[in-house]
Amino acid sequence: MRNLLSCTLIMLLLAPMTSGCASKYGPQQTSVHYYPACYRPISTLRESEQRVASSTAGGAAIGAVGGALLGLLASGGEAKGALIGAVAGGAAGAVTGNIMGKHQKIADDNRRMASYLQDIEGNISGLDITSASARAALQCYDRQFRLLLKDIRARRVSRRQAEHMFAEIQSGTREAASLLGSAADNGRNLERQYRDALAQEERRLSAPAASRGTRSSASAAASRASLQKAQKRTSDLNRRVDRIADEQTAAQRQADAQSRELAEALASSQV
């Protein structure tokens, strides 16, 4: 009975770790039939996210199983030991955290500021990958739309097929625009977190020397220079997010304009 209870507890712990998580990019909106090359930048982005999520979940699951078994052995078969071991192992297997929590644990000013700089640069790169993937898809779908218009006007495609092809172009275009919106939202959240963290650093560096402990003037100057550099990168992040949001608006307008152009082409060609 004791072993059965232990196994049940382990399975309950593993269930949320091994179940799928919703994509930060939202669900796939586009059924790909005519333009796989145009959707490939988006599918590659999604596959990359899935690999990272699977790796993290796998680490958590392995850690939970190992911890549960060790806990079970160490406690002489007690279910409580398995439970404690599984929780500890799962936590060790999946390394998570937020910006504020992570950097508050770093006591040295210069090392903490260096960590901020690395994180900001890395997160900006992540936003760039998302926006670049969306941009590549948008450009491809726009080229295919122009070719479709030519085929409609030359009556090389039936009305029914043209409508199906255009539906995929529209869906891909709107999904790419949605990716840009997700990137912009993520960037704004990152910016708020960084600004909160950097404001805390600003207050610490501006505090009286007695409250900060004994530090050399050279070390204080280095911390101040690193803080200013991190603040500049955070401002760069804000400008980048604004550009991504503008691209999303342009993509939505493009989708609307394409609908009007298609209707006009179908009417004039009478396919």
Side-chain angles (χ1 to χ4, degrees), residues 71-255:
L72 193 65
L73 292 172
S75 62
E78 291 289 339
K80 183 178 179 180
L83 176 62
I84 294 172
V87 172
V95 180
T96 58
N98 56 58
I99 294 168
M100 299 291 289
K102 174 183 175 182
H103 296 294
Q104 283 174 348
K105 295 179 181 178
I106 303 177
D108 180 76
D109 291 343
N110 291 328
R111 287 191 302 115
R112 186 168 56 251
M113 292 310 307
S115 184
Y116 278 130
L117 292 170
Q118 291 171 359
D119 280 354
I120 294 172
E121 188 64 35
N123 280 319
I124 289 177
S125 297
L127 291 177
D128 284 346
I129 290 170
T130 303
S131 61
S133 299
R135 194 178 303 116
L138 285 167
Q139 291 172 351
C140 181
Y141 281 121
D142 187 56
R143 287 194 299 270
Q144 294 302 323
F145 176 70
R146 297 300 156 194
L147 292 174
L148 178 59
L149 286 182
K150 290 182 180 179
D151 287 341
I152 291 172
R153 288 164 181 153
R155 300 186 180 183
R156 288 190 293 263
V157 61
S158 69
R159 184 185 190 94
R160 182 178 178 82
Q161 185 178 6
E163 288 174 345
H164 285 313
M165 296 171 76
F166 178 67
E168 183 173 331
I169 290 173
Q170 278 276 280
S171 180
T173 297
R174 294 192 186 281
E175 185 170 345
S178 179
L179 279 180
L180 291 172
S182 297
D185 290 342
N186 184 39
R188 291 189 185 97
N189 289 333
L190 286 172
E191 185 203 1
R192 282 194 293 269
Q193 292 179 61
Y194 285 127
R195 289 202 183 278
D196 288 344
L198 295 176
Q200 286 191 9
E201 296 296 330
E202 179 74 37
R203 289 191 293 271
R204 270 180 24 83
L205 292 175
S206 301
S211 64
R212 289 186 280 109
T214 303
R215 299 175 63 229
S216 67
S217 58
S219 178
S223 295
R224 173 64 63 181
S226 293
L227 175 62
Q228 291 172 347
K229 190 174 183 181
Q231 289 170 332
K232 182 181 182 300
R233 286 191 182 174
T234 304
S235 296
D236 291 342
L237 170 59
N238 180 50
R239 287 191 291 272
R240 199 159 302 189
V241 168
D242 287 342
R243 287 198 296 271
I244 292 172
D246 289 342
E247 289 177 3
Q248 182 197 17
T249 301
Q252 291 169 335
R253 289 175 178 167
Q254 174 179 309

Side-chain angles (χ1 to χ4, degrees), residues 43-91:
S43 63
T44 300
L45 192 68
R46 291 184 178 280
E47 288 164 5
S48 177
E49 180 198 35
Q50 189 174 17
R51 282 194 298 270
V52 172
S54 297
S55 177
T56 301
I62 291 169
V65 170
L69 291 175
L70 288 174
L72 193 65
L73 292 172
S75 62
E78 291 289 339
K80 183 178 179 180
L83 176 62
I84 294 172
V87 172

Side-chain angles (χ1 to χ4, degrees), residues 24-39:
K24 67 180 179 181
Y25 305 119
Q28 179 172 335
Q29 303 171 23
T30 307
S31 296
V32 182
H33 301 289
Y34 299 100
Y35 308 110
C38 291
Y39 194 76

